[in-house]
Short mmCIF file of all heavy atoms in Angstrom, two decimals:
data_model
loop_
_atom_site.label_atom_id
_atom_site.label_comp_id
_atom_site.label_asym_id
_atom_site.label_seq_id
_atom_site.Cartn_x
_atom_site.Cartn_y
_atom_site.Cartn_z
N GLY L 1 0.83 -1.19 0.00
CA GLY L 1 0.00 0.00 0.00
C GLY L 1 0.86 1.25 0.00
O GLY L 1 1.99 1.23 0.49
N ASP L 2 0.34 2.33 -0.54
CA ASP L 2 1.06 3.60 -0.61
C ASP L 2 0.31 4.64 0.22
O ASP L 2 -0.75 5.12 -0.17
CB ASP L 2 1.15 4.07 -2.07
CG ASP L 2 1.97 5.34 -2.21
OD1 ASP L 2 2.37 5.92 -1.18
OD2 ASP L 2 2.22 5.76 -3.36
N PRO L 3 0.84 5.00 1.41
CA PRO L 3 0.16 5.98 2.25
C PRO L 3 -0.01 7.34 1.57
O PRO L 3 -1.01 8.03 1.81
CB PRO L 3 1.09 6.10 3.47
CG PRO L 3 1.89 4.84 3.48
CD PRO L 3 2.07 4.48 2.03
N ALA L 4 0.95 7.74 0.72
CA ALA L 4 0.89 9.06 0.09
C ALA L 4 -0.30 9.19 -0.83
O ALA L 4 -0.93 10.25 -0.91
CB ALA L 4 2.19 9.33 -0.66
N THR L 5 -0.64 8.11 -1.55
CA THR L 5 -1.75 8.16 -2.51
C THR L 5 -2.96 7.36 -2.05
O THR L 5 -3.97 7.34 -2.75
CB THR L 5 -1.28 7.64 -3.88
OG1 THR L 5 -0.90 6.26 -3.74
CG2 THR L 5 -0.11 8.45 -4.41
N ASN L 6 -2.85 6.71 -0.89
CA ASN L 6 -3.93 5.85 -0.37
C ASN L 6 -4.33 4.80 -1.41
O ASN L 6 -5.50 4.55 -1.65
CB ASN L 6 -5.16 6.70 0.02
CG ASN L 6 -6.18 5.89 0.82
OD1 ASN L 6 -5.83 4.96 1.54
ND2 ASN L 6 -7.45 6.25 0.67
N THR L 7 -3.30 4.19 -2.01
CA THR L 7 -3.51 3.18 -3.05
C THR L 7 -3.04 1.82 -2.55
O THR L 7 -2.01 1.72 -1.87
CB THR L 7 -2.74 3.55 -4.33
OG1 THR L 7 -3.19 4.82 -4.79
CG2 THR L 7 -2.97 2.53 -5.42
N VAL L 8 -3.77 0.78 -2.90
CA VAL L 8 -3.39 -0.59 -2.58
C VAL L 8 -3.10 -1.32 -3.89
O VAL L 8 -3.89 -1.23 -4.83
CB VAL L 8 -4.50 -1.32 -1.81
CG1 VAL L 8 -4.15 -2.80 -1.62
CG2 VAL L 8 -4.71 -0.66 -0.46
N VAL L 9 -1.95 -2.00 -3.95
CA VAL L 9 -1.56 -2.75 -5.15
C VAL L 9 -1.80 -4.23 -4.90
O VAL L 9 -1.44 -4.77 -3.85
CB VAL L 9 -0.07 -2.52 -5.49
CG1 VAL L 9 0.31 -3.30 -6.74
CG2 VAL L 9 0.21 -1.04 -5.68
N VAL L 10 -2.44 -4.90 -5.88
CA VAL L 10 -2.68 -6.33 -5.78
C VAL L 10 -2.04 -7.03 -6.97
O VAL L 10 -1.74 -6.41 -8.00
CB VAL L 10 -4.19 -6.65 -5.73
CG1 VAL L 10 -4.83 -6.01 -4.52
CG2 VAL L 10 -4.88 -6.20 -7.01
N GLY L 11 -1.81 -8.32 -6.83
CA GLY L 11 -1.21 -9.09 -7.91
C GLY L 11 -1.21 -10.57 -7.59
O GLY L 11 -1.72 -10.99 -6.54
N PRO L 12 -0.61 -11.39 -8.44
CA PRO L 12 -0.53 -12.83 -8.20
C PRO L 12 0.45 -13.15 -7.08
O PRO L 12 1.28 -12.31 -6.70
CB PRO L 12 -0.03 -13.38 -9.54
CG PRO L 12 0.74 -12.24 -10.13
CD PRO L 12 0.04 -10.99 -9.71
N ARG L 13 0.36 -14.36 -6.56
CA ARG L 13 1.21 -14.75 -5.44
C ARG L 13 2.69 -14.59 -5.76
O ARG L 13 3.48 -14.17 -4.90
CB ARG L 13 0.92 -16.20 -5.04
CG ARG L 13 1.71 -16.66 -3.81
CD ARG L 13 1.29 -18.04 -3.37
NE ARG L 13 1.99 -18.45 -2.16
CZ ARG L 13 3.16 -19.07 -2.14
NH1 ARG L 13 3.78 -19.37 -3.28
NH2 ARG L 13 3.73 -19.40 -0.99
N GLU L 14 3.10 -14.90 -6.99
CA GLU L 14 4.52 -14.81 -7.31
C GLU L 14 5.06 -13.40 -7.19
O GLU L 14 6.28 -13.20 -7.01
CB GLU L 14 4.79 -15.37 -8.72
CG GLU L 14 3.94 -14.77 -9.82
CD GLU L 14 2.71 -15.59 -10.12
OE1 GLU L 14 2.21 -16.30 -9.21
OE2 GLU L 14 2.25 -15.54 -11.28
N ALA L 15 4.18 -12.41 -7.27
CA ALA L 15 4.63 -11.01 -7.12
C ALA L 15 5.04 -10.69 -5.69
O ALA L 15 5.67 -9.66 -5.43
CB ALA L 15 3.53 -10.06 -7.58
N LEU L 16 4.68 -11.57 -4.73
CA LEU L 16 5.04 -11.37 -3.33
C LEU L 16 6.43 -11.89 -2.99
O LEU L 16 6.94 -11.63 -1.90
CB LEU L 16 4.03 -12.07 -2.43
CG LEU L 16 2.63 -11.47 -2.33
CD1 LEU L 16 1.68 -12.48 -1.72
CD2 LEU L 16 2.66 -10.19 -1.51
N ALA L 17 7.04 -12.65 -3.89
CA ALA L 17 8.31 -13.31 -3.59
C ALA L 17 9.41 -12.31 -3.25
O ALA L 17 9.65 -11.36 -4.00
CB ALA L 17 8.74 -14.18 -4.77
N ARG L 18 10.09 -12.53 -2.12
CA ARG L 18 11.20 -11.68 -1.70
C ARG L 18 12.36 -12.55 -1.28
O ARG L 18 12.20 -13.57 -0.61
CB ARG L 18 10.77 -10.79 -0.53
CG ARG L 18 9.59 -9.87 -0.83
CD ARG L 18 9.98 -8.77 -1.81
NE ARG L 18 8.89 -7.84 -2.05
CZ ARG L 18 8.01 -7.95 -3.04
NH1 ARG L 18 8.11 -8.97 -3.89
NH2 ARG L 18 7.05 -7.06 -3.19
N ARG L 19 13.57 -12.15 -1.67
CA ARG L 19 14.77 -12.90 -1.32
C ARG L 19 15.75 -12.11 -0.46
O ARG L 19 16.65 -12.68 0.15
CB ARG L 19 15.49 -13.38 -2.59
CG ARG L 19 14.83 -14.59 -3.26
CD ARG L 19 15.68 -15.10 -4.40
NE ARG L 19 15.17 -16.34 -4.97
CZ ARG L 19 15.47 -17.55 -4.55
NH1 ARG L 19 16.30 -17.70 -3.53
NH2 ARG L 19 14.96 -18.62 -5.13
N THR L 20 15.59 -10.78 -0.41
CA THR L 20 16.47 -9.94 0.39
C THR L 20 15.64 -9.14 1.38
O THR L 20 14.66 -8.50 0.99
CB THR L 20 17.29 -8.99 -0.49
OG1 THR L 20 18.06 -9.74 -1.42
CG2 THR L 20 18.23 -8.13 0.36
N VAL L 21 16.02 -9.18 2.65
CA VAL L 21 15.29 -8.47 3.69
C VAL L 21 16.28 -7.71 4.56
O VAL L 21 17.31 -8.26 4.97
CB VAL L 21 14.47 -9.44 4.56
CG1 VAL L 21 13.74 -8.70 5.67
CG2 VAL L 21 13.47 -10.22 3.70
N THR L 22 15.97 -6.44 4.84
CA THR L 22 16.81 -5.61 5.69
C THR L 22 16.07 -5.31 6.98
O THR L 22 14.87 -5.03 6.96
CB THR L 22 17.18 -4.29 4.98
OG1 THR L 22 17.82 -4.60 3.74
CG2 THR L 22 18.12 -3.46 5.84
N ALA L 23 16.78 -5.37 8.10
CA ALA L 23 16.16 -5.12 9.40
C ALA L 23 17.00 -4.13 10.20
O ALA L 23 18.23 -4.18 10.19
CB ALA L 23 16.01 -6.42 10.18
N SER L 24 16.31 -3.24 10.90
CA SER L 24 16.97 -2.31 11.82
C SER L 24 16.95 -2.94 13.20
O SER L 24 15.88 -3.16 13.78
CB SER L 24 16.20 -0.98 11.83
OG SER L 24 16.71 -0.13 12.83
N GLY L 25 18.14 -3.26 13.72
CA GLY L 25 18.20 -3.93 15.01
C GLY L 25 19.62 -4.30 15.35
O GLY L 25 20.54 -3.50 15.13
N ARG L 26 19.84 -5.52 15.86
CA ARG L 26 21.17 -5.92 16.33
C ARG L 26 21.47 -7.37 15.99
O ARG L 26 20.58 -8.22 15.97
CB ARG L 26 21.26 -5.78 17.86
CG ARG L 26 21.22 -4.39 18.40
CD ARG L 26 21.26 -4.43 19.92
NE ARG L 26 22.43 -5.12 20.43
CZ ARG L 26 22.59 -5.49 21.70
NH1 ARG L 26 21.61 -5.29 22.57
NH2 ARG L 26 23.69 -6.09 22.10
N LEU L 27 22.74 -7.61 15.72
CA LEU L 27 23.26 -8.97 15.73
C LEU L 27 23.88 -9.19 17.10
O LEU L 27 24.70 -8.39 17.55
CB LEU L 27 24.31 -9.16 14.64
CG LEU L 27 23.81 -9.24 13.19
CD1 LEU L 27 25.00 -9.39 12.25
CD2 LEU L 27 22.85 -10.42 13.02
N PHE L 28 23.50 -10.27 17.76
CA PHE L 28 24.03 -10.57 19.08
C PHE L 28 25.30 -11.42 19.02
O PHE L 28 25.97 -11.62 20.03
CB PHE L 28 22.98 -11.29 19.92
CG PHE L 28 21.67 -10.55 20.01
CD1 PHE L 28 20.47 -11.21 19.80
CD2 PHE L 28 21.64 -9.20 20.30
CE1 PHE L 28 19.27 -10.54 19.89
CE2 PHE L 28 20.44 -8.51 20.39
CZ PHE L 28 19.26 -9.18 20.18
N ALA L 29 25.58 -11.95 17.83
CA ALA L 29 26.79 -12.73 17.61
C ALA L 29 27.21 -12.54 16.16
O ALA L 29 26.39 -12.22 15.30
CB ALA L 29 26.54 -14.22 17.89
N SER L 30 28.49 -12.70 15.89
CA SER L 30 29.00 -12.52 14.54
C SER L 30 28.73 -13.78 13.73
O SER L 30 29.34 -14.83 13.96
CB SER L 30 30.51 -12.23 14.58
OG SER L 30 31.02 -12.07 13.28
N VAL L 31 27.78 -13.70 12.80
CA VAL L 31 27.41 -14.85 11.98
C VAL L 31 27.33 -14.42 10.52
O VAL L 31 27.04 -13.27 10.20
CB VAL L 31 26.06 -15.45 12.42
CG1 VAL L 31 26.16 -16.04 13.81
CG2 VAL L 31 24.95 -14.41 12.37
N THR L 32 27.57 -15.37 9.63
CA THR L 32 27.44 -15.11 8.20
C THR L 32 26.31 -15.91 7.59
O THR L 32 25.90 -15.65 6.46
CB THR L 32 28.74 -15.43 7.46
OG1 THR L 32 29.10 -16.80 7.71
CG2 THR L 32 29.87 -14.52 7.93
N ARG L 33 25.80 -16.90 8.35
CA ARG L 33 24.64 -17.67 7.92
C ARG L 33 23.76 -17.97 9.13
O ARG L 33 24.24 -18.00 10.27
CB ARG L 33 25.02 -18.99 7.23
CG ARG L 33 25.48 -18.81 5.78
CD ARG L 33 25.49 -20.16 5.05
NE ARG L 33 24.17 -20.77 4.94
CZ ARG L 33 23.27 -20.44 4.00
NH1 ARG L 33 23.56 -19.53 3.10
NH2 ARG L 33 22.09 -21.05 3.97
N GLY L 34 22.48 -18.19 8.84
CA GLY L 34 21.56 -18.52 9.91
C GLY L 34 20.19 -18.82 9.33
O GLY L 34 20.01 -18.83 8.11
N ASP L 35 19.25 -19.06 10.20
CA ASP L 35 17.86 -19.26 9.80
C ASP L 35 17.06 -18.05 10.28
O ASP L 35 17.11 -17.71 11.47
CB ASP L 35 17.28 -20.53 10.43
CG ASP L 35 18.00 -21.78 9.94
OD1 ASP L 35 18.34 -21.83 8.75
OD2 ASP L 35 18.21 -22.69 10.77
#
């Protein structure tokens, strides 16, 4: 959804696929892989 235009975008399930995610927070241990 776009708050500026009050618009909601819809599409097929495959359009939801995401492979990269960024988070604001902390790593509690130095890791390069995890679940």
